Amino acid sequence: MNKNINKISVIIITKNEAENIRACLESVTWADEIVVVDSGSTDATVKICQELGAKVHVHDWPGFGMQKNRALSYATHAWVFSIDADERVTPELQAQLINAMESESKDGFYVPRLSQFCGKFIRHSGWYPDYVLRLFKKSAGRFSDDMVHERVILKGSAGRLSSPLLHYSYLDEADVRRKTEQYARAGAMQMLKKGKTATLADAPLRAAWAFIRTYIMRLGLLDGIAGFNIARMNFRTTYLKYRQLRALCSTAH
């Protein structure tokens, strides 16, 4: 009998996450193995990971999906839990994850994610429950090769857990601006790679729709000023993404 059948590897990708990574790792110290793939941190990220017993591997940056597949390749146990540096596993979720690995009928499990925006946990705006597939059998799953917004591709059936994974996604306005530009740039590159194009009207029209969808249709107004700011962020991210895509298409031709 395989002794690793109910053991779990936690995988994390990092770059300059010194402010986040300690709390993240401390929330998963119960795991049998922690694997970190770092893409050239210049802060104390790698040192902190090593201090807390993680197995650290350093690689270049090919995009989110491919980097997570690298981390997955280093995992040595039957079950894998993927977590980001700005996420935390609560004791309640820990208990559910451990219990879920006893399942003989499921190959993976979705976890609800409760995200924080500038100090406030968000329960509308399309952000909650935000089920993400994070626990899965290594033999049954891999990540898509998307540069951003990667997902787990599972061969088999998946269940759902009820305790949320806490996500400290946007710490302050500076973090919002940085991530907006990062995701817009990566999104434009990904769309270009897939052969997408953009017209002059795409940026303003799609950005306006992103705001309306977030604030009105997904009830962002119930999140107060935070909901308005999330809708505004989605407007800006969408606008920049399509403007950059149009510029990239022009350069390519």
Side-chain angles (χ1 to χ4, degrees), residues 12-13 41 45 47 55 70 82 118 125 149 168 194 202 241:
I12 312 170
I13 62 172
S41 291
T45 297
K47 180 181 178 182
K55 299 176 181 178
R70 283 174 170 170
S82 174
C118 297
S125 304
H149 302 311
Y168 296 87
K194 292 181 177 180
D202 274 325
K241 179 173 66 175

Side-chain angles (χ1 to χ4, degrees), residues 19 28 48 57 82-84 90 95 101-102 140 146 156 158 165 167 171 186 209 245:
E19 293 185 4
V28 293
I48 294 170
H57 306 270
S82 174
I83 187 172
D84 293 338
T90 65
M101 290 189 294
E102 300 292 334
D146 296 317
L165 175 69
H167 183 206
L171 301 179
W209 170 242
L245 175 61

Side-chain angles (χ1 to χ4, degrees), residues 142-159:
R142 62 174 295 275
F143 292 92
S144 64
D145 289 332
D146 296 317
M147 292 186 67
V148 66
H149 302 311
E150 74 293 342
R151 68 193 189 285
V152 175
I153 300 171
L154 187 72
K155 295 180 180 178
S157 61

